Amino acid sequence: MPEDRTAGREFVNRRARHDYHIDTRYDAGMVLHGWEVKALRAGRANLTHAYVHVAQSEVWLIGLSIQPLPNTADRDNLEPDRTRKLLLNRREIAQLMAHTTIRGKTCVPLRLHWKNNLAKCEIALARGKHQRDKREDVKRREWQRARGRILRSRD
C-alpha cells in the first residue's frame, strides 16, 4: 500500500487563534492551479497574513502565499500571492455575508489541510480580542503549565 504523501502537510494560522475568538467553522474548497497543488504538497505555503473577503456572493482568500517549486515549468505566469476563490455552498456563503456585516465580526482562515486528496481551507467566523483578553489567555496557559508541573512533581 503506498504511503500517504500528504501526511503532515497541514498549515495552521496560529495568529488567528491569538487575535480572535473563534465562533463557527467552515471547510471550504479552493480553486488552485496545478503548480500550486504541487507546492502545497511540498509544504511551501504561508498562511500567516491571509484573510477572507466575502463580497457579491463569493468568498476570496487573500494573502495566502504559495511559493512555486524550483522546477516549475511556466516561471513567467506564476503569482505566489494571488487572490484565490473559496468554494462553499450558497447557504454557507449567505451565513458568512450576514455575519460579516455585523460590526466586530470577521472571517479568518484557520488552516489548510487535505481531505480525500483535495486541498481545503478551514475558515471561521471570529470576533476580535481585546488586549485584556489576550493577557487572560496567557495567564490561563501559564497556570495550566504550572499545574502540570506541580502534578508531575507530586508523583
Side-chain angles (χ1 to χ4, degrees), residues 1 5 7 10 15 20 28 32 42 45 51 63-65 72-75 87 91 99-100 102 106 117 137-138 143 148:
M1 187 146 117
R5 292 178 18 201
E10 183 175 286
R15 195 85 210 150
Y20 299 98
L32 298 172
Y51 61 97
L64 170 65
S65 177
T72 303
D74 192 15
R75 303 279 308 167
L87 306 172
R91 187 187 78 247
H99 283 91
T100 54
I102 298 171
T106 189
N117 285 330
D137 286 348
V138 169
W143 165 241

Side-chain angles (χ1 to χ4, degrees), residues 40-132:
L40 275 178
R41 287 191 190 276
R44 297 177 63 99
N46 185 0
L47 191 61
T48 308
H49 301 293
Y51 61 97
V52 177
H53 181 69
V54 182
Q56 300 172 352
S57 299
E58 292 184 337
V59 183
W60 300 93
L61 182 60
I62 301 170
L64 170 65
S65 177
I66 300 176
Q67 295 302 317
L69 295 170
N71 60 353
T72 303
D74 192 15
R75 303 279 308 167
D76 298 332
N77 293 338
L78 305 182
E79 294 180 56
D81 298 324
R82 75 176 181 90
T83 301
R84 293 165 179 89
K85 187 174 183 178
L86 295 178
L87 306 172
L88 294 161
N89 63 41
R90 284 187 201 144
R91 187 187 78 247
E92 293 172 335
I93 293 173
Q95 288 174 354
L96 287 175
M97 288 179 68
H99 283 91
T100 54
T101 56
I102 298 171
R103 185 170 181 268
K105 287 255 186 166
T106 189
C107 190
V108 294
L110 297 179
R111 67 186 181 117
L112 296 176
H113 62 281
W114 294 93
K115 186 175 182 181
N116 298 332
N117 285 330
L118 297 174
K120 300 284 185 172
C121 180
E122 183 179 350
I123 60 175
L125 284 170
R127 265 180 308 112
K129 283 185 183 179
H130 295 286
Q131 189 63 38
R132 64 179 177 266

